[in-house]
Amino acid sequence: GGHMVVSTGVSLLCGTAAMTALLFLAEPLLHFVSPPEDADAVKAIAIQACYIAAASLPFSVYIFAGAGILLGAKQIGKTMSLFLLWGCGTAIGIVLAMLRLDCRDEEMEFCPEDIKTGFDRIDAMVEDLSQCRRSYAKDGWVCSSYEGFLASSAATLSVCSAGLALSLMACHYHLIAPHRVRLLAAARASDFFAAWSREAAWVAVRSVLGNSRHFVALVVALRMGITQSAAWILFGSVSQLAYAIPSNLSCVAMITISRLIGRGDLPNARSVLNDYRIFGVACGVVFCALAAVGEESIIKSYSKETEEEALRAVIQPVWGWVLAYQPARAMIAVYQSLVAARQAFSFWGKSTAFCFFVVFLPSAVAAALNKDIHILLMGEVLYTTALAALLYLKVHWLSPETAGPEQLEGAGAEEGAERRDEEEGGGGGGEEEEDRS
């Protein structure tokens, strides 16, 4: 309970610091991440959205701590329900903003007169519209609706992040309300930071490197050009489904397996681990098949007609990497929960650091130097696959004491037998023994 209070305060302070940094660095940051030829246009349409999004950072940072607290209190259903509710609100808000996004009238202002006449006769010839796009692109024009769309999306994210954070806070208050005076008195920062440095420092390393990886890759792709960045966003967002669904469905494993290990029932714990191994493989196969079948529709949905061929030329040659990424993402989603159940946080963080610096970072540097999106996609797939393999090795072959599976089962049976002997020996000891049991 004391840790709950301190972690809430620390996460809100960190989020406030991040908000302040973004408010001061928004303009140079936008300039840095944009393609050089489009930096001014990007800054013009996105600066307002950046300022609005900054307001959500204290809540966004807190959400992860708040969700962890509820999961630690075994409130899995409540946590998932809150994320689903506010996630749906975010999606609805962005879709509504997208429906208001219309630039066709402004695009046609740049068309030659003969092309405008063609539009009047036959509603929109793609070839003619592409000429108009090339014309206004040379003049540095951007659609006036873009700024409103980004600002509306940022506002939606900010409101829903605040709503989710406040909902989590309300749940926390309900948990500690009967004991709030004692818990507030027990909230010593020194104890919290001592436990953090002992148990969670490598989790922080994992989080920082894992999230930095997405930012680094996006910047590399953006500086290659608009089409390359669209290909990267397609690659990442399509694969997000293969991660999110198995991850949410595997959360319960953290509690189930931890309870079995704590009771010394390691044979049953290993049985549950094997069930989740099958689940991870099945999810990988399903999402890989969906990506293979839906290739054409996916590419079309991520581009307008005038840009579809350019995107197709970039993404189709590496669609095999998209397919390979689905099982890797599904497996890592499942095995993160299994590693958390084993409380192998140090191994998790060290494995993430190894894969980041040895596999991903060299690939990102090579992709940036060669301006080759294929190298960037390959590096991400190899990073995820290597990390999934290390987590698999830890879960199925290495215990926290670096014992093999046979040793684990033997130790579990021995510990379980000792516990049963103790319980049987105290069976006739009367009320005192019953209470102690």
Side-chain angles (χ1 to χ4, degrees), residues 162-388:
L164 177 56
L166 294 174
S167 299
L168 292 171
M169 289 181 186
C171 293
H172 298 163
Y173 179 81
H174 178 72
L175 286 174
I176 68 171
H179 317 285
R180 57 182 178 273
V181 176
R182 180 171 59 84
L183 292 180
L184 287 170
R188 293 189 297 271
S190 58
D191 292 344
F192 172 81
F193 286 112
W196 184 88
S197 62
R198 184 175 63 251
E199 300 169 1
W202 280 108
V203 177
V205 170
R206 176 199 63 81
S207 297
V208 169
L209 293 181
N211 291 306
S212 300
R213 185 180 93 256
H214 298 302
F215 178 73
V216 169
L218 182 59
V219 171
V220 170
L222 282 168
R223 295 186 68 82
M224 291 180 192
I226 294 298
T227 305
Q228 288 82 356
S229 59
W232 171 258
I233 292 169
L234 183 157
F235 171 80
S237 57
V238 166
S239 307
Q240 186 63 23
L241 199 61
Y243 175 84
I245 293 177
S247 177
N248 289 331
L249 294 178
S250 300
C251 282
V252 70
M254 290 188 287
I255 294 174
T256 303
I257 295 172
S258 294
R259 183 184 295 127
L260 290 170
I261 292 175
R263 287 205 301 247
D265 192 0
L266 294 181
N268 279 334
R270 291 192 57 79
S271 176
V272 176
L273 289 174
N274 288 331
D275 291 340
Y276 276 96
R277 169 167 54 187
I278 296 170
F279 172 68
V281 172
C283 287
V285 171
V286 168
F287 287 109
C288 181
L290 290 175
V293 172
E295 177 180 352
E296 288 297 322
S297 59
I298 290 171
I299 294 175
K300 286 183 179 179
S301 66
Y302 274 79
S303 59
K304 294 183 179 179
E305 292 180 348
T306 48
E307 290 94 7
E308 183 180 330
E309 289 306 317
L311 180 60
R312 188 183 302 277
V314 173
I315 199 67
Q316 270 193 332
V318 292
W319 197 257
W321 289 117
V322 177
L323 299 181
Y325 197 43
Q326 308 310 307
R329 288 284 279 171
M331 290 295 283
I332 206 166
V334 172
Y335 275 81
Q336 284 178 353
S337 296
L338 303 186
V339 167
R342 284 289 184 93
Q343 299 186 13
F345 301 115
S346 176
F347 181 89
W348 190 359
K350 292 173 183 176
S351 298
T352 301
F354 173 82
C355 294
F356 180 87
F357 289 110
V358 175
V359 181
F360 172 77
L361 197 57
S363 302
V365 171
L369 294 176
N370 292 282
K371 294 188 179 300
D372 190 344
I373 192 68
H374 300 180
I375 298 176
L376 188 63
L377 298 181
M378 178 189 70
E380 173 64 17
V381 173
L382 293 179
Y383 164 89
T384 306
T385 304
L387 182 57

Side-chain angles (χ1 to χ4, degrees), residues 39-226:
D40 291 335
V42 170
K43 187 165 66 174
I45 65 174
I47 189 67
Q48 182 182 4
C50 274
Y51 290 141
I52 295 173
S56 71
L57 286 177
F59 301 108
S60 299
V61 174
Y62 168 76
I63 283 169
F64 294 98
I69 290 169
L70 276 191
L71 290 174
K74 303 180 183 179
Q75 304 289 313
I76 296 178
K78 187 178 294 185
T79 306
M80 293 299 106
S81 298
L82 289 175
F83 272 84
L84 181 62
L85 173 65
W86 290 105
C88 289
T90 303
I92 291 170
I94 292 177
V95 169
L96 291 176
M98 191 180 299
L99 293 176
R100 296 193 297 269
L101 183 61
D102 185 10
C103 302
R104 187 165 170 237
D105 292 339
E106 296 180 42
E107 291 168 354
M108 288 182 62
E109 292 298 321
F110 289 83
C111 294
E113 288 300 325
D114 58 331
I115 294 180
K116 288 183 181 180
T117 304
F119 276 120
D120 293 337
R121 292 195 315 267
I122 47 172
D123 193 27
M125 295 175 63
V126 172
E127 296 82 1
D128 292 339
L129 185 57
S130 65
Q131 293 181 33
C132 304
R133 289 178 185 279
R134 284 194 293 272
S135 175
Y136 69 65
K138 291 178 182 177
D139 295 336
W141 174 87
V142 290
C143 177
S144 60
S145 298
Y146 290 169
E147 183 178 1
F149 167 72
L150 292 176
S152 298
S153 299
T156 299
L157 289 169
S158 297
V159 170
C160 291
S161 295
L164 177 56
L166 294 174
S167 299
L168 292 171
M169 289 181 186
C171 293
H172 298 163
Y173 179 81
H174 178 72
L175 286 174
I176 68 171
H179 317 285
R180 57 182 178 273
V181 176
R182 180 171 59 84
L183 292 180
L184 287 170
R188 293 189 297 271
S190 58
D191 292 344
F192 172 81
F193 286 112
W196 184 88
S197 62
R198 184 175 63 251
E199 300 169 1
W202 280 108
V203 177
V205 170
R206 176 199 63 81
S207 297
V208 169
L209 293 181
N211 291 306
S212 300
R213 185 180 93 256
H214 298 302
F215 178 73
V216 169
L218 182 59
V219 171
V220 170
L222 282 168
R223 295 186 68 82
M224 291 180 192
I226 294 298

Side-chain angles (χ1 to χ4, degrees), residues 12-34:
L12 290 174
L13 286 175
C14 290
T16 303
M19 176 186 70
T20 305
L22 182 56
L23 289 174
F24 281 102
L25 299 175
E27 288 195 26
L29 185 62
L30 282 174
H31 192 275
F32 174 71
V33 303
S34 304

